[in-house]
Amino acid sequence: MSTLPLSSQNTERRIELDEKYALLVNAFAPAAPMHIFNSIEFFRLHAGQDAHYFQLIERKSSAVIACMHFTATGEGYYRSPARGTFGGISTVSALSLEQIELFACAVENEMAQMQASRLQIVMPPASHNPSLFANCFNVFYRRGFGIFGQEINYDIDVSAVPLSERMDYGNRKRLNKCVREGFTTSHLEASRYEQAYRIIADNRLRKGYPVTMDFPSIMSMVDTFGERMRFFGAWRNQELVAAAICIAVSEKVMSVFYWGDREGMQDYSPVVLLASAIYEHCQSGGIAILDTGIATEAGAPNYGLIRFKRSLGFRESLKLILTKDLPDRA
């Protein structure tokens, strides 16, 4: 096991919890893949000098069965994750309510020992794993966490039904128009990544929503996660007119991180064609959920974005931010 070169309180340690389970802190034991934002690689990419990675293991087999991490965002304030779309508890397989509570209690106790005064958890959308969401919320709520914020997330279950049959009439017309006009889609090679990013950044700037990650940060994700970062493009007459940056969050979930089209494409809406292509990619890859992210900001709805996502066939899912103030241990 290896550790991060952090402060002394970040050293590797193991705490025996009961006769069956133990807690690893900053030990980074090999584990089956969980969601990308709870992966060791993501944690290391964004960890500061005060960050803590927890793993619940079976004592007999030493197998990791769950993980969670917190990183300082201010004096005594810790967030899961410091950066990333969501954090919370990830599990290798379905855990019982008792196992989740054992893990959550142990993590909170460790954070209290580190003089944490506030813990904040960005929960995954409820639709990604409804039973885990319900169990985690039950545990955290009973432990004194309250709802700090809520967002409405939009995703769709990937099935054998084409996306064209799940979108509304207007978008089917736009999709058919793109096909008639000779638009095509493709995976993008690395040489096109920056061009794709610029199309997306310009699109968001026109709409008053600057991108939250610059291009070097995107490339750091590419360098770290390789093929889990997937770029798609829509073309017209050899010109790249729309692009999407997607993340394979897990074996089950694909997330559209950013997408957008060029100025002057309003009559065609090639993002609709791009959405259909990404959905088909999920179908062929056995991905169960295609996620397009939130359509709210601090809970306030962006009605235009909501209408667009619903018109493509995507539906609402609750995403919560939980917070707990810990008692002063001085």
Side-chain angles (χ1 to χ4, degrees):
M1 300 178 186
S2 60
T3 57
L4 289 170
L6 304 177
S7 62
S8 59
Q9 68 176 353
N10 298 78
T11 55
E12 174 184 337
R13 57 197 181 278
R14 172 177 171 140
I15 300 99
E16 309 301 330
L17 301 179
D18 59 21
E19 69 280 1
K20 291 184 178 180
Y21 301 105
L23 181 73
L24 299 182
V25 185
N26 296 326
F28 309 111
M34 301 187 207
H35 75 66
I36 196 169
F37 305 115
N38 267 4
S39 67
I40 293 170
E41 294 82 5
F42 188 88
F43 175 78
R44 284 176 163 151
L45 188 62
H46 298 291
Q49 290 299 304
D50 190 359
H52 313 279
Y53 194 86
F54 302 97
Q55 295 171 301
L56 180 67
I57 67 167
E58 294 179 334
R59 291 178 60 176
K60 184 175 181 179
S61 66
S62 295
V64 174
I65 59 174
C67 72
M68 184 181 194
H69 59 86
F70 282 99
T71 297
T73 58
E75 185 64 34
Y77 286 21
Y78 293 84
R79 193 169 188 264
S80 171
R83 297 189 66 178
T85 306
F86 50 82
I89 293 175
S90 291
T91 63
V92 171
S93 58
L95 297 188
S96 68
L97 189 66
E98 293 91 340
Q99 290 171 313
I100 291 170
E101 186 152 22
L102 178 72
F103 185 37
C105 178
V107 170
E108 185 179 323
N109 287 342
E110 283 299 301
M111 293 304 302
Q113 292 291 333
M114 298 171 199
Q115 304 304 310
S117 58
R118 174 174 291 181
L119 300 179
Q120 187 171 91
I121 302 167
V122 183
M123 297 274 283
S127 59
H128 286 196
N129 189 332
S131 61
L132 181 62
F133 178 91
N135 284 335
C136 286
F137 180 76
N138 176 275
V139 167
F140 289 132
Y141 185 79
R142 287 189 292 103
R143 295 195 59 79
F145 281 81
I147 297 174
F148 177 82
Q150 54 80 28
E151 306 289 358
I152 301 178
N153 194 76
Y154 285 80
D155 57 40
I156 192 168
D157 292 331
V158 178
S159 70
V161 179
L163 187 61
S164 60
E165 295 184 20
R166 305 176 73 174
M167 61 179 63
D168 68 5
Y169 175 72
N171 278 323
R172 281 197 298 274
K173 285 184 64 177
R174 296 180 184 96
L175 179 63
N176 291 334
K177 183 177 181 179
C178 284
V179 173
R180 284 197 312 271
E181 294 287 335
F183 285 71
T184 59
T185 60
S186 71
H187 284 86
L188 297 180
E189 301 294 331
S191 61
R192 295 285 186 176
Y193 287 179
E194 186 166 8
Q195 184 183 6
Y197 177 86
R198 297 303 168 200
I199 289 173
I200 293 165
D202 290 346
N203 175 274
R204 291 178 64 89
L205 189 60
R206 291 196 305 272
K207 296 179 178 179
Y209 299 101
V211 291
T212 54
M213 289 185 71
D214 59 20
F215 183 65
S217 298
I218 292 289
M219 289 309 298
S220 292
M221 291 281 287
V222 171
D223 292 341
T224 302
F225 296 108
E227 66 87 29
R228 293 184 73 169
M229 298 291 294
R230 302 176 191 181
F231 291 66
F232 299 85
W235 302 81
R236 187 189 187 200
N237 299 328
Q238 310 301 313
E239 180 187 13
L240 188 63
V241 295
I245 302 173
C246 299
I247 302 174
V249 173
S250 66
E251 294 179 352
K252 176 184 177 183
V253 178
M254 174 77 76
S255 174
V256 178
F257 193 50
Y258 292 130
W259 59 8
D261 53 23
R262 284 188 181 278
E263 177 69 37
M265 287 291 110
Q266 293 86 343
D267 290 340
Y268 299 98
S269 297
V271 166
V272 176
L273 178 67
L274 207 51
S276 181
I278 296 168
Y279 182 88
E280 289 175 3
H281 173 79
C282 293
Q283 287 177 311
S284 63
I287 293 170
I289 297 172
L290 176 58
D291 190 315
T292 61
I294 61 174
T296 52
E297 182 67 33
N302 180 329
Y303 290 110
L305 187 56
I306 288 170
R307 285 191 295 270
F308 174 68
K309 291 186 177 185
R310 284 187 60 86
S311 72
L312 284 173
F314 294 83
R315 291 296 178 263
E316 295 83 0
S317 176
L318 186 62
K319 181 178 175 183
L320 296 178
I321 302 171
L322 307 179
T323 298
K324 179 178 180 178
D325 291 326
L326 302 184
D328 186 357
R329 301 176 65 90

